[in-house]
Amino acid sequence: MNKTKLTIATAALLAGMAVNAETILKIGYSNAINSHYGVGAVAFCDGVEKGTQGRYKCQQYPNNALGGEREMIEAVQIGTQDLANVSTGPLGNFVPEVKVVDIPFLFRDYDHARKVMDGPIGQDLLKKMTSKGVVGLAWTENGFRHMTNSKRAIYTPDDAKGLKMRTMENKVHMDGYKTFGILPTPMAWPEVFGALQQGTVDGQENPIPVILSGKLWQVQKHFSLTNHVYSPAALIISPAIWQKLSDTDKAVFVDAAKKASVIQRKKVNDDESNGITQMEKEGMQVVKKVDGDAFRKAVTPAYATFAKEFGADKIAAIQAIK
Ligand code: EAX
């Protein structure tokens, strides 16, 4: 082979390699593939695969296959896991500013919450993640949280009083929930089903999509529509991958994450509208008429602590968004 032919052959080989070069990204989350997290993750990965002409593809790791949420965030930080779709539950332990959105009764409803997360305040929090070694692509969603337990129907904080309840590893939640009289017991999600089954805790609180995906009726009798806190989630990516992406690819990833968020939130809406019937069918006793004012009143004193930590002006700014 003369030199020219060799060069052409090498170029062709390199071009072929470039076309075939394919990176498989590991994406993890704590619920089933058909849950809100799963449909979000799948939509994100479809968008990435199409937008990068197959150069990036995902492997899905649903149902805590890569560990609990705290472990997944750590793995994304160090780069042993590429992507995660996680609630803010443990995220504030990495990015303290994020904890402000975990304040009980901060958001009025889904419209309010989504507007804040997608607006300047939420986007600013998303950017803050970068300095902590996690890149936030978009806010997705877990949903408004409600209480379940094995002991009694909860209408008021008096009914909740004294119940040992699993919470996420989140101090803002725990401080808030103490004012309801419950005894918060922080625990990673993968351990919760077993703990409920064994009676280590009496109850837990989670959005309807998580209760459905986890089939919690198998271990919990009572459900109350307490709506006591909004639970955002985020699609996060490891800096190790992010730094390697071209600007065009970065835009593809962000765009895919935003589209995934729309699909994930739609699934939350659907689960909210169908979930109660399903839980009742599975034998759960559902309390729809919770005394929301009594819960809001109970948590008011904790707002003094939250104001000290996050600034009263910050909290007011979030509340003021219409
Ligand atoms: O992110 O830990 C929790 O209660 C979370 O809401 C759940 O894992 C979904």
Side-chain angles (χ1 to χ4, degrees):
M1 227 190 268
N2 67 32
K3 205 173 166 195
T4 317
K5 271 192 188 150
L6 192 66
T7 312
I8 292 168
T10 312
L13 186 72
L14 287 174
M17 275 171 65
V19 168
N20 293 327
E22 183 181 291
T23 306
I24 306 288
L25 304 170
K26 283 194 209 169
I27 183 164
Y29 39 93
S30 63
N31 295 95
I33 195 151
N34 61 358
S35 71
H36 54 328
Y37 283 107
V39 295
V42 168
F44 168 75
C45 293
D46 284 350
V48 163
E49 188 173 336
K50 283 201 190 90
T52 63
Q53 298 78 41
R55 283 177 289 113
Y56 289 92
K57 289 186 181 159
C58 298
Q59 198 153 7
Q60 304 283 330
Y61 289 87
N63 288 319
N64 316 300
L66 297 177
E69 294 193 319
R70 183 171 46 78
E71 291 161 301
M72 286 196 274
I73 298 166
E74 277 165 7
V76 167
Q77 263 186 334
I78 55 177
T80 51
Q81 177 177 336
D82 306 306
L83 292 148
N85 198 359
V86 288
S87 79
T88 53
L91 196 56
N93 299 330
F94 298 83
V95 192
E97 292 91 340
V98 166
K99 283 189 279 185
V100 69
V101 293
D102 296 319
I103 296 177
F105 292 112
L106 177 66
F107 297 106
R108 293 181 300 275
D109 51 28
Y110 278 106
D111 281 347
H112 180 208
R114 292 167 183 177
K115 207 164 186 183
V116 171
M117 301 316 284
D118 293 345
I121 294 175
Q123 294 309 297
D124 187 47
L125 292 175
L126 201 61
K127 285 194 200 100
K128 289 240 158 58
M129 293 182 198
T130 315
S131 66
K132 305 292 179 204
V134 180
V135 180
L137 293 173
W139 290 112
T140 56
E141 184 169 82
N142 195 12
F144 273 91
R145 302 178 79 89
H146 312 286
M147 295 178 193
T148 70
N149 80 95
S150 57
K151 300 280 185 202
R152 54 184 175 260
I154 297 176
Y155 296 86
T156 68
D158 262 353
D159 303 320
K161 204 169 175 173
L163 289 175
K164 204 167 168 196
M165 238 185 235
R166 176 269 175 174
T167 69
M168 294 201 282
E169 298 155 289
N170 183 305
K171 195 165 175 301
V172 171
H173 282 186
M174 291 171 70
D175 287 347
Y177 301 173
K178 275 181 201 153
T179 67
F180 305 149
I182 68 161
L183 309 171
T185 310
M187 198 184 286
W189 176 244
E191 273 129 61
V192 177
F193 193 94
L196 293 169
Q197 198 163 37
Q198 285 158 26
T200 320
V201 288
D202 304 313
Q204 64 86 49
E205 42 79 57
N206 248 304
I208 292 175
V210 175
I211 294 167
L212 297 181
S213 181
K215 300 186 169 51
L216 290 197
W217 46 81
Q218 294 175 354
V219 285
Q220 297 278 268
K221 180 81 187 158
H222 301 281
F223 171 94
S224 286
L225 207 57
T226 46
N227 275 302
H228 56 275
V229 73
Y230 177 68
S231 186
L235 246 169
I236 57 171
I237 187 166
S238 165
I241 295 289
W242 187 247
Q243 282 153 14
K244 277 195 248 168
L245 298 179
S246 67
D247 285 349
T248 316
D249 283 348
K250 279 181 180 162
V252 167
F253 275 59
V254 169
D255 189 49
K258 284 183 181 158
K259 286 186 178 136
S261 175
V262 173
I263 287 168
Q264 187 159 332
R265 287 169 177 174
K266 162 123 195 349
K267 175 68 175 154
V268 173
N269 289 348
D270 292 348
D271 282 357
E272 284 261 349
S273 30
N274 309 326
I276 291 187
T277 316
Q278 194 182 338
M279 289 188 291
E280 282 175 333
K281 219 167 68 198
E282 299 290 352
M284 269 186 138
Q285 300 217 309
V286 174
V287 174
K288 290 172 208 155
K289 288 219 167 85
V290 171
D291 188 347
D293 286 342
F295 277 98
R296 266 187 287 274
K297 203 170 148 208
V299 85
T300 311
Y303 266 68
T305 317
F306 300 144
K308 243 184 241 149
E309 185 169 356
F310 307 110
D313 54 334
K314 185 95 204 181
I315 295 171
I318 293 174
Q319 288 168 329
I321 288 170
K322 291 271 140 63

